[in-house]
Amino acid sequence: MKNKSIYAAVLTAAFALTAVAPATADDLAPADTGGTVNISGSAGERQTADGSSLRLRYVGNPPPAGYDGNYQHGKSVTTPSPEDGPVTMSGTLDISGMTASGDAAIIGLYDLGALADGATAHKKDAGIWVSYSSRSGGYYDIGVTDGDAGGGEWVQRFTRIAVADIGDGVLNVNFVVDGTADPTHCVSTPADLATADGCMTLTVNGTTVTDSYGSVSPDGVDVELANGGHPGWWVGYGSAGPVVGVLYNLDISPATPGLESKGQCKGGGFAAFGYTNQGQCVASLNGRP
């Protein structure tokens, strides 16, 4: 009986080690990518106790091993790579709270591979750009962006909407990142075509703007979003501080919600999160707040 007890203890220890092995970008790719997940909140809302976070990514709390915990926070949502088919973010942006000239926010998809390597990934993204200016009676610029790394521009194509033209301040948006689309049909600058991965298309209150993505990528990201992405935001801000007044309510599709409770492991649910059995799935959540 004693030998059996020792054998069981050894198996338990080995199992625990397996369950907490650090995740890689490939490990974090969703097993089930056919669903729709909603995200909502305020762009710029402080997400860490020390108030340092202006870069929210929906990677889970705590984030997986390898992620920068100072910036990555929130429930977990993962999308497949747009290289395998279009990923859509659709819903509303309430921008009525933007009151400081120069306030800006980007809400979009952030490169999973870069995040898994500890980067903030705010220049490894494809997203909706929203900015406010008090000039000329007040207006918003809403466009598409894939960051400004390597000297690129934050946004090259956008639509300008006067404050008076959207009385309630609510934008209806449909944003599509599609790596299977031919960038020759969407690229704004011919020089970007050589390294473009696909197209971003944004329809906002009935007006559509489009541009290529992938042409602006820092070192270490050969194909932007190739491993998949996490939705989230990054903000710049003016005198009003970090909360820039953009309330987002968006459905992400296709997307997979991350593992947040032990109940999700039951009834065969563990398989959707890449685990081989229920016990391994439950063990991965041990120690979470």
Side-chain angles (χ1 to χ4, degrees):
M1 184 65 66
K2 181 178 179 182
N3 288 340
K4 278 189 174 182
S5 298
I6 293 172
Y7 181 68
V10 170
L11 281 180
T12 301
F15 172 75
L17 287 172
T18 301
V20 298
T24 67
D26 289 336
D27 294 333
L28 293 166
D32 174 11
T33 59
T36 298
V37 181
N38 178 265
I39 63 171
S40 61
S42 176
E45 182 180 5
R46 295 186 184 276
Q47 298 294 327
T48 56
D50 63 1
S52 65
S53 179
L54 295 178
R55 302 179 176 92
L56 174 66
R57 309 290 178 265
Y58 281 85
V59 302
N61 179 28
Y67 282 60
D68 182 345
N70 290 322
Y71 296 96
Q72 320 312 329
H73 195 79
K75 70 179 180 179
S76 176
V77 181
T78 311
T79 75
S81 171
E83 298 297 302
D84 298 325
V87 177
T88 299
M89 304 178 73
S90 183
T92 60
L93 300 179
D94 184 341
I95 57 177
S96 60
M98 298 187 88
T99 58
S101 195
D103 276 359
I106 297 170
I107 302 165
L109 298 178
Y110 293 80
D111 190 274
L112 186 152
L115 288 167
D117 286 340
T120 58
H122 68 287
K123 296 184 178 182
K124 308 170 186 70
D125 59 351
I128 305 167
W129 165 275
V130 184
S131 64
Y132 169 74
S133 173
S134 59
R135 293 179 296 175
S136 304
Y139 61 82
Y140 307 101
D141 286 340
I142 302 99
V144 290
T145 179
D146 68 343
D148 74 338
E153 298 178 31
W154 277 118
V155 58
Q156 292 177 304
R157 283 186 172 162
F158 61 90
T159 182
R160 180 165 291 179
I161 305 176
V163 171
D165 290 340
I166 47 171
D168 60 0
V170 176
L171 303 175
N172 293 296
V173 298
N174 189 74
F175 177 61
V176 181
V177 185
D178 189 357
T180 68
D182 184 351
T184 59
H185 301 308
C186 64
V187 67
S188 59
T189 302
D192 290 343
L193 188 59
T195 53
D197 296 327
C199 295
M200 302 176 289
T201 302
L202 171 66
T203 301
V204 50
N205 285 11
T207 298
T208 298
V209 292
T210 186
D211 200 354
S212 63
Y213 79 93
S215 54
V216 180
S217 292
D219 293 341
V221 179
D222 295 327
V223 179
E224 209 159 20
L225 299 167
N227 292 297
H230 293 292
W233 50 249
W234 178 89
V235 299
Y237 55 92
S239 59
V243 180
V244 301
V246 178
L247 300 177
Y248 58 91
N249 190 329
L250 300 168
D251 288 333
I252 319 298
S253 178
T256 300
L259 180 61
E260 296 178 345
S261 71
K262 294 178 181 179
Q264 291 173 278
C265 299
K266 299 178 180 179
F270 60 84
F273 302 100
Y275 295 103
T276 56
N277 57 61
Q278 181 175 314
Q280 189 181 55
C281 179
V282 169
S284 71
L285 286 167
N286 290 337
R288 289 200 179 191

